[in-house]
């Protein structure tokens, strides 16, 4: 999981998942600018939780939070 998080714009944790957000701006003449989020949901395991806690132990709110976007896609990893 650590390798995947290197390209993440944001990482946060929910009750069942650790979520990697990769954010980008999509600008076209029809819809104008949109903030797009490509999200990968990793099912929480003891190993993933330990890695997460090691990486983000200095956060004030260790679980982090979702950064809102105009459009998103999701992928789930067991």
């Amino acid at each position: 999981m650590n390798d995947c998080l290197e390209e993440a714009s944001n990482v946060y944790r929910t009750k069942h998942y650790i979520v990697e957000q990769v954010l980008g701006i999509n600008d076209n003449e029809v819809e104008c600018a949109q903030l797009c989020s490509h999200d990968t949901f990793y099912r929480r395991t003891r190993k993933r939780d330990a890695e997460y806690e090691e990486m983000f132990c200095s956060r004030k709110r260790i679980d982090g939070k979702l950064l809102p976007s105009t459009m998103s896609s999701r992928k789930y990893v067991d």
Side-chain angles (χ1 to χ4, degrees):
M1 186 179 81
N2 282 341
D3 295 339
C4 297
L5 300 181
E6 288 179 11
E7 65 183 53
S9 304
N10 181 41
V11 180
Y12 65 96
R13 190 163 61 171
T14 68
K15 184 175 182 180
H16 300 290
Y17 294 97
I18 295 172
V19 185
E20 167 199 41
Q21 280 189 294
V22 178
L23 299 168
I25 296 174
N26 182 18
D27 189 13
N28 66 50
E29 294 176 13
V30 177
E31 298 292 333
C32 300
Q34 296 176 332
L35 181 60
C36 303
S37 180
H38 300 283
D39 305 341
T40 304
F41 286 71
Y42 296 92
R43 185 171 302 280
R44 286 179 67 171
T45 63
R46 287 182 187 191
K47 181 181 179 198
R48 287 181 181 152
D49 271 349
E51 291 173 358
Y52 180 93
E53 289 177 11
E54 183 178 330
M55 289 179 69
F56 300 108
C57 63
S58 62
R59 278 185 173 176
K60 191 171 187 176
R61 294 176 47 182
I62 194 160
D63 287 333
K65 64 180 182 176
L66 165 74
L67 293 177
S69 63
T70 309
M71 184 171 55
S72 67
S73 65
R74 289 183 173 200
K75 178 172 77 172
Y76 290 87
V77 177
D78 273 334

mmCIF file of all heavy atoms in Angstrom, residues 2-25:
data_model
loop_
_atom_site.group_PDB
_atom_site.id
_atom_site.type_symbol
_atom_site.label_atom_id
_atom_site.label_comp_id
_atom_site.label_asym_id
_atom_site.label_seq_id
_atom_site.Cartn_x
_atom_site.Cartn_y
_atom_site.Cartn_z
ATOM 1 N N ASN A 2 1.998 1.276 0.670
ATOM 2 C CA ASN A 2 2.848 2.468 0.740
ATOM 3 C C ASN A 2 3.222 3.005 -0.628
ATOM 4 O O ASN A 2 3.263 4.203 -0.842
ATOM 5 C CB ASN A 2 4.124 2.178 1.541
ATOM 6 C CG ASN A 2 3.879 2.177 3.029
ATOM 7 O OD1 ASN A 2 2.902 2.707 3.504
ATOM 8 N ND2 ASN A 2 4.774 1.561 3.755
ATOM 9 N N ASP A 3 3.533 2.104 -1.576
ATOM 10 C CA ASP A 3 3.907 2.539 -2.922
ATOM 11 C C ASP A 3 2.778 3.293 -3.605
ATOM 12 O O ASP A 3 3.001 4.276 -4.298
ATOM 13 C CB ASP A 3 4.313 1.341 -3.786
ATOM 14 C CG ASP A 3 5.567 0.660 -3.268
ATOM 15 O OD1 ASP A 3 6.329 1.316 -2.526
ATOM 16 O OD2 ASP A 3 5.773 -0.506 -3.611
ATOM 17 N N CYS A 4 1.562 2.834 -3.405
ATOM 18 C CA CYS A 4 0.405 3.479 -4.031
ATOM 19 C C CYS A 4 0.173 4.873 -3.468
ATOM 20 O O CYS A 4 -0.267 5.761 -4.179
ATOM 21 C CB CYS A 4 -0.849 2.639 -3.816
ATOM 22 S SG CYS A 4 -0.761 1.018 -4.582
ATOM 23 N N LEU A 5 0.465 5.074 -2.199
ATOM 24 C CA LEU A 5 0.182 6.350 -1.553
ATOM 25 C C LEU A 5 1.123 7.462 -1.994
ATOM 26 O O LEU A 5 0.850 8.626 -1.735
ATOM 27 C CB LEU A 5 0.227 6.187 -0.033
ATOM 28 C CG LEU A 5 -0.770 5.192 0.549
ATOM 29 C CD1 LEU A 5 -0.642 5.154 2.064
ATOM 30 C CD2 LEU A 5 -2.189 5.505 0.150
ATOM 31 N N GLU A 6 2.207 7.129 -2.677
ATOM 32 C CA GLU A 6 3.156 8.153 -3.104
ATOM 33 C C GLU A 6 2.552 9.139 -4.089
ATOM 34 O O GLU A 6 2.932 10.299 -4.115
ATOM 35 C CB GLU A 6 4.394 7.490 -3.715
ATOM 36 C CG GLU A 6 5.267 6.820 -2.686
ATOM 37 C CD GLU A 6 6.479 6.156 -3.297
ATOM 38 O OE1 GLU A 6 6.752 6.381 -4.490
ATOM 39 O OE2 GLU A 6 7.147 5.415 -2.562
ATOM 40 N N GLU A 7 1.604 8.713 -4.915
ATOM 41 C CA GLU A 7 0.984 9.621 -5.879
ATOM 42 C C GLU A 7 -0.283 10.284 -5.331
ATOM 43 O O GLU A 7 -0.891 11.106 -5.997
ATOM 44 C CB GLU A 7 0.661 8.883 -7.176
ATOM 45 C CG GLU A 7 -0.388 7.799 -7.030
ATOM 46 C CD GLU A 7 -0.631 7.051 -8.319
ATOM 47 O OE1 GLU A 7 0.330 6.559 -8.895
ATOM 48 O OE2 GLU A 7 -1.804 6.980 -8.730
ATOM 49 N N ALA A 8 -0.656 9.971 -4.107
ATOM 50 C CA ALA A 8 -1.892 10.493 -3.523
ATOM 51 C C ALA A 8 -1.799 11.977 -3.216
ATOM 52 O O ALA A 8 -0.773 12.471 -2.754
ATOM 53 C CB ALA A 8 -2.222 9.731 -2.240
ATOM 54 N N SER A 9 -2.895 12.684 -3.470
ATOM 55 C CA SER A 9 -3.028 14.087 -3.068
ATOM 56 C C SER A 9 -3.524 14.165 -1.629
ATOM 57 O O SER A 9 -3.242 15.115 -0.916
ATOM 58 C CB SER A 9 -4.035 14.806 -3.972
ATOM 59 O OG SER A 9 -3.679 14.692 -5.319
ATOM 60 N N ASN A 10 -4.288 13.140 -1.221
ATOM 61 C CA ASN A 10 -4.872 13.095 0.114
ATOM 62 C C ASN A 10 -5.104 11.634 0.477
ATOM 63 O O ASN A 10 -5.419 10.815 -0.380
ATOM 64 C CB ASN A 10 -6.211 13.859 0.131
ATOM 65 C CG ASN A 10 -6.855 13.875 1.501
ATOM 66 O OD1 ASN A 10 -6.193 14.047 2.513
ATOM 67 N ND2 ASN A 10 -8.165 13.689 1.537
ATOM 68 N N VAL A 11 -4.953 11.323 1.759
ATOM 69 C CA VAL A 11 -5.245 9.979 2.269
ATOM 70 C C VAL A 11 -6.031 10.159 3.554
ATOM 71 O O VAL A 11 -5.686 10.985 4.392
ATOM 72 C CB VAL A 11 -3.955 9.181 2.550
ATOM 73 C CG1 VAL A 11 -4.293 7.794 3.087
ATOM 74 C CG2 VAL A 11 -3.101 9.074 1.298
ATOM 75 N N TYR A 12 -7.122 9.388 3.685
ATOM 76 C CA TYR A 12 -7.901 9.435 4.915
ATOM 77 C C TYR A 12 -8.442 8.044 5.220
ATOM 78 O O TYR A 12 -8.351 7.130 4.400
ATOM 79 C CB TYR A 12 -9.031 10.473 4.823
ATOM 80 C CG TYR A 12 -10.096 10.170 3.791
ATOM 81 C CD1 TYR A 12 -11.276 9.538 4.156
ATOM 82 C CD2 TYR A 12 -9.930 10.525 2.460
ATOM 83 C CE1 TYR A 12 -12.257 9.263 3.217
ATOM 84 C CE2 TYR A 12 -10.898 10.274 1.524
ATOM 85 C CZ TYR A 12 -12.062 9.634 1.906
ATOM 86 O OH TYR A 12 -13.036 9.352 0.966
ATOM 87 N N ARG A 13 -9.026 7.896 6.404
ATOM 88 C CA ARG A 13 -9.477 6.591 6.863
ATOM 89 C C ARG A 13 -10.929 6.666 7.295
ATOM 90 O O ARG A 13 -11.333 7.599 7.986
ATOM 91 C CB ARG A 13 -8.568 6.169 8.025
ATOM 92 C CG ARG A 13 -8.715 4.780 8.496
ATOM 93 C CD ARG A 13 -7.549 4.328 9.337
ATOM 94 N NE ARG A 13 -7.357 5.114 10.558
ATOM 95 C CZ ARG A 13 -6.508 4.794 11.516
ATOM 96 N NH1 ARG A 13 -5.758 3.721 11.403
ATOM 97 N NH2 ARG A 13 -6.375 5.551 12.578
ATOM 98 N N THR A 14 -11.714 5.665 6.875
ATOM 99 C CA THR A 14 -13.107 5.528 7.309
ATOM 100 C C THR A 14 -13.204 4.285 8.197
ATOM 101 O O THR A 14 -12.200 3.632 8.476
ATOM 102 C CB THR A 14 -14.062 5.380 6.105
ATOM 103 O OG1 THR A 14 -13.823 4.120 5.470
ATOM 104 C CG2 THR A 14 -13.891 6.513 5.109
ATOM 105 N N LYS A 15 -14.397 3.932 8.594
ATOM 106 C CA LYS A 15 -14.593 2.774 9.471
ATOM 107 C C LYS A 15 -14.062 1.494 8.825
ATOM 108 O O LYS A 15 -13.495 0.639 9.511
ATOM 109 C CB LYS A 15 -16.077 2.629 9.803
ATOM 110 C CG LYS A 15 -16.381 1.529 10.782
ATOM 111 C CD LYS A 15 -17.845 1.519 11.152
ATOM 112 C CE LYS A 15 -18.126 0.437 12.179
ATOM 113 N NZ LYS A 15 -19.547 0.410 12.553
ATOM 114 N N HIS A 16 -14.219 1.340 7.516
ATOM 115 C CA HIS A 16 -13.854 0.088 6.853
ATOM 116 C C HIS A 16 -12.739 0.223 5.813
ATOM 117 O O HIS A 16 -12.250 -0.793 5.325
ATOM 118 C CB HIS A 16 -15.075 -0.527 6.176
ATOM 119 C CG HIS A 16 -16.186 -0.850 7.132
ATOM 120 N ND1 HIS A 16 -16.104 -1.870 8.062
ATOM 121 C CD2 HIS A 16 -17.385 -0.262 7.333
ATOM 122 C CE1 HIS A 16 -17.212 -1.904 8.773
ATOM 123 N NE2 HIS A 16 -18.015 -0.941 8.357
ATOM 124 N N TYR A 17 -12.364 1.446 5.446
ATOM 125 C CA TYR A 17 -11.394 1.628 4.358
ATOM 126 C C TYR A 17 -10.353 2.695 4.671
ATOM 127 O O TYR A 17 -10.602 3.629 5.428
ATOM 128 C CB TYR A 17 -12.114 2.054 3.071
ATOM 129 C CG TYR A 17 -13.028 0.994 2.525
ATOM 130 C CD1 TYR A 17 -14.384 1.017 2.795
ATOM 131 C CD2 TYR A 17 -12.527 -0.039 1.732
ATOM 132 C CE1 TYR A 17 -15.223 0.037 2.297
ATOM 133 C CE2 TYR A 17 -13.358 -1.018 1.229
ATOM 134 C CZ TYR A 17 -14.710 -0.978 1.516
ATOM 135 O OH TYR A 17 -15.541 -1.955 1.023
ATOM 136 N N ILE A 18 -9.196 2.548 4.021
ATOM 137 C CA ILE A 18 -8.207 3.609 3.921
ATOM 138 C C ILE A 18 -8.321 4.095 2.483
ATOM 139 O O ILE A 18 -8.258 3.294 1.539
ATOM 140 C CB ILE A 18 -6.785 3.093 4.224
ATOM 141 C CG1 ILE A 18 -6.710 2.641 5.694
ATOM 142 C CG2 ILE A 18 -5.750 4.181 3.913
ATOM 143 C CD1 ILE A 18 -5.428 1.929 6.057
ATOM 144 N N VAL A 19 -8.541 5.390 2.308
ATOM 145 C CA VAL A 19 -8.856 5.934 0.995
ATOM 146 C C VAL A 19 -7.735 6.829 0.491
ATOM 147 O O VAL A 19 -7.282 7.734 1.194
ATOM 148 C CB VAL A 19 -10.176 6.743 1.026
ATOM 149 C CG1 VAL A 19 -10.560 7.201 -0.365
ATOM 150 C CG2 VAL A 19 -11.295 5.920 1.660
ATOM 151 N N GLU A 20 -7.303 6.559 -0.731
ATOM 152 C CA GLU A 20 -6.298 7.366 -1.417
ATOM 153 C C GLU A 20 -7.032 8.227 -2.451
ATOM 154 O O GLU A 20 -7.761 7.702 -3.286
ATOM 155 C CB GLU A 20 -5.306 6.446 -2.127
ATOM 156 C CG GLU A 20 -4.430 7.157 -3.116
ATOM 157 C CD GLU A 20 -3.788 6.204 -4.114
ATOM 158 O OE1 GLU A 20 -4.460 5.278 -4.586
ATOM 159 O OE2 GLU A 20 -2.617 6.413 -4.417
ATOM 160 N N GLN A 21 -6.875 9.531 -2.360
ATOM 161 C CA GLN A 21 -7.449 10.459 -3.339
ATOM 162 C C GLN A 21 -6.335 11.010 -4.211
ATOM 163 O O GLN A 21 -5.334 11.505 -3.694
ATOM 164 C CB GLN A 21 -8.120 11.654 -2.653
ATOM 165 C CG GLN A 21 -9.491 11.412 -2.105
ATOM 166 C CD GLN A 21 -10.105 12.731 -1.652
ATOM 167 O OE1 GLN A 21 -9.622 13.346 -0.711
ATOM 168 N NE2 GLN A 21 -11.155 13.153 -2.321
ATOM 169 N N VAL A 22 -6.516 10.916 -5.520
ATOM 170 C CA VAL A 22 -5.618 11.563 -6.474
ATOM 171 C C VAL A 22 -6.458 12.642 -7.156
ATOM 172 O O VAL A 22 -7.427 12.329 -7.859
ATOM 173 C CB VAL A 22 -5.049 10.565 -7.503
ATOM 174 C CG1 VAL A 22 -4.166 11.288 -8.503
ATOM 175 C CG2 VAL A 22 -4.274 9.458 -6.800
ATOM 176 N N LEU A 23 -6.119 13.903 -6.899
ATOM 177 C CA LEU A 23 -6.909 15.023 -7.389
ATOM 178 C C LEU A 23 -6.284 15.637 -8.636
ATOM 179 O O LEU A 23 -5.062 15.692 -8.768
ATOM 180 C CB LEU A 23 -7.027 16.096 -6.304
ATOM 181 C CG LEU A 23 -7.713 15.640 -5.016
ATOM 182 C CD1 LEU A 23 -7.512 16.660 -3.927
ATOM 183 C CD2 LEU A 23 -9.183 15.383 -5.246
ATOM 184 N N GLY A 24 -7.152 16.107 -9.529
ATOM 185 C CA GLY A 24 -6.691 16.786 -10.732
ATOM 186 C C GLY A 24 -7.759 17.741 -11.222
ATOM 187 O O GLY A 24 -8.936 17.629 -10.870
ATOM 188 N N ILE A 25 -7.364 18.687 -12.024
ATOM 189 C CA ILE A 25 -8.306 19.656 -12.584
ATOM 190 C C ILE A 25 -8.576 19.297 -14.033
ATOM 191 O O ILE A 25 -7.653 19.084 -14.819
ATOM 192 C CB ILE A 25 -7.756 21.084 -12.480
ATOM 193 C CG1 ILE A 25 -7.606 21.462 -11.013
ATOM 194 C CG2 ILE A 25 -8.658 22.069 -13.204
ATOM 195 C CD1 ILE A 25 -6.947 22.786 -10.770
#
